[in-house]
C-alpha cells in the first residue's frame, strides 16, 4: 500500500518488454529484494539492487494496463516505497494497481498552479468525483472538476517540482488509479 506522496523522481536506465532498471537515491536507502515500490503509480517488485539502481520485472499485464511501455532510457519516473505501519498517511490509500491510462489534453497556468486536463476512459469516469482523490502516475491529487470524459487537477508548484509532472507535455499518457473506496462501494451496491 502507498500514499501517493512521491518520495523522489528517478531516472530510467533501461527498459524492455519484460523489465526496467531505475537509478534513484532516496528510495535506495532501505530498499530490499522483494520489496514493493511504486513506479509511476504501478506497484512493482524490486528483483535486483546494485548501488544506486534497482530493477523490476514487467509482466505483459503491466505493459497492457500502464503507460510504462511509453518510457525510454533517460525518462523520469515517480517513486514511492511501500507504506510502513509507522508512517504518516499524507495522501490517500493507493494500492499501486493501475486501473488504466489517461492522456493529458491541456495545461494552463492559474496563479502559481498549473491546471492539467486529463482525458479518461469512460469506464473510469464513475469513480472520479469533484474534490475526490485520484492517483496520476502515482501522485495523490485532488480532482478540481469533472466533465463527461475528462477531469482537471490544480497542481501546486511544490508537486510540480518534486514529481515527473514537470516533464510531461500535452499528449502524454499517465497511469490512473481511482479511489479504492469508490470501487468497493460500487461492488457492494451491485450485489
Amino acid at each position: 500500500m502507498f500514499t501517493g506522496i512521491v518520495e523522489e523522481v528517478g531516472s530510467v536506465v533501461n527498459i524492455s518488454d519484460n523489465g526496467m532498471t531505475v537509478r534513484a537515491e532516496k528510495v535506495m536507502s532501505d530498499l530490499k529484494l522483494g520489496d514493493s515500490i511504486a513506479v509511476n503509480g504501478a506497484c512493482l517488485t524490486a528483483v535486483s539492487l546494485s548501488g544506486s539502481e534497482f530493477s523490476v520485472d514487467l509482466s505483459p499485464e503491466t505493459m497492457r494496463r500502464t503507460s510504462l511501455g511509453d518510457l525510454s532510457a533517460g525518462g523520469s519516473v515517480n517513486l514511492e516505497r511501500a507504506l510502513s505501519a509507522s508512517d504518516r498517511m499524507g495522501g490517500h490509500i493507493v494500492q499501486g494497481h493501475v486501473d488504466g491510462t489517461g492522456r493529458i489534453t491541456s495545461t494552463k497556468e492559474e496563479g502559481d498552479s498549473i491546471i492539467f486536463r486529463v482525458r479518461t476512459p469512460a469506464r473510469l469516469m464513475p469513480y472520479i468525483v469533484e474534490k475526490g482523490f485520484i492517483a496520476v502516475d502515482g501522485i495523490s491529487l485532488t480532482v478540481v472538476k469533472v466533465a463527461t470524459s475528462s477531469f482537471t487537477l490544480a497542481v501546486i508548484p511544490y508537486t510540480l517540482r518534486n514529481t515527473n509532472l514537470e516533464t510531461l507535455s500535452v499528449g502524454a499518457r499517465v497511469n490512473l488509479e481511482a479511489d479504492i473506496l469508490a470501487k468497493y462501494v460500487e461492488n457492494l451496491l451491485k450485489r
Side-chain angles (χ1 to χ4, degrees):
M1 183 169 77
F2 305 93
T3 65
I5 304 298
V6 174
E7 293 183 86
E8 79 173 294
V9 176
S11 178
V12 176
V13 175
N14 60 55
I15 186 166
S16 68
D17 287 342
N18 59 3
M20 174 171 48
T21 300
V22 176
R23 182 174 295 114
E25 293 178 25
K26 184 175 183 179
V27 300
M28 296 300 294
S29 66
D30 65 350
L31 190 65
K32 298 181 297 299
L33 284 179
D35 280 356
S36 293
I37 185 159
V39 178
N40 275 2
C43 179
L44 303 172
T45 302
V47 297
S48 173
L49 304 171
S50 177
S52 63
E53 297 177 357
F54 68 90
S55 295
V56 295
D57 290 334
L58 298 172
S59 71
E61 170 67 6
T62 299
M63 297 302 276
R64 278 190 301 271
R65 175 115 14 190
T66 71
S67 64
L68 295 178
D70 297 350
L71 296 170
S72 58
S76 60
V77 289
N78 295 321
L79 301 173
E80 180 187 0
R81 290 170 288 189
L83 181 65
S84 167
S86 63
D87 287 343
R88 287 189 174 93
M89 185 72 171
H92 73 280
I93 296 171
V94 177
Q95 294 181 297
H97 301 163
V98 175
D99 293 309
T101 61
R103 197 165 295 275
I104 298 172
T105 58
S106 67
T107 61
K108 71 174 184 173
E109 291 185 29
E110 186 175 270
D112 287 347
S113 299
I114 303 291
I115 304 298
F116 284 81
R117 177 172 297 284
V118 181
R119 188 177 67 233
T120 309
R123 65 181 178 77
L124 295 182
M125 288 307 299
Y127 307 117
I128 301 170
V129 297
E130 189 172 314
K131 302 305 178 208
F133 293 118
I134 189 155
V136 177
D137 269 1
I139 309 162
S140 175
L141 295 165
T142 303
V143 175
V144 173
K145 289 185 183 172
V146 177
T148 305
S149 61
S150 66
F151 63 90
T152 58
L153 306 160
V155 180
I156 63 173
Y158 179 88
T159 302
L160 204 58
R161 284 190 311 271
N162 290 283
T163 67
N164 72 346
L165 286 177
E166 191 170 51
T167 66
L168 300 179
S169 57
V170 170
R173 270 194 329 148
V174 291
N175 294 322
L176 301 175
E177 181 181 336
D179 188 0
I180 186 65
L181 297 177
K183 292 184 279 190
Y184 277 123
V185 168
E186 178 191 49
N187 191 21
L188 288 169
L189 291 175
K190 281 182 179 178
R191 293 177 185 202

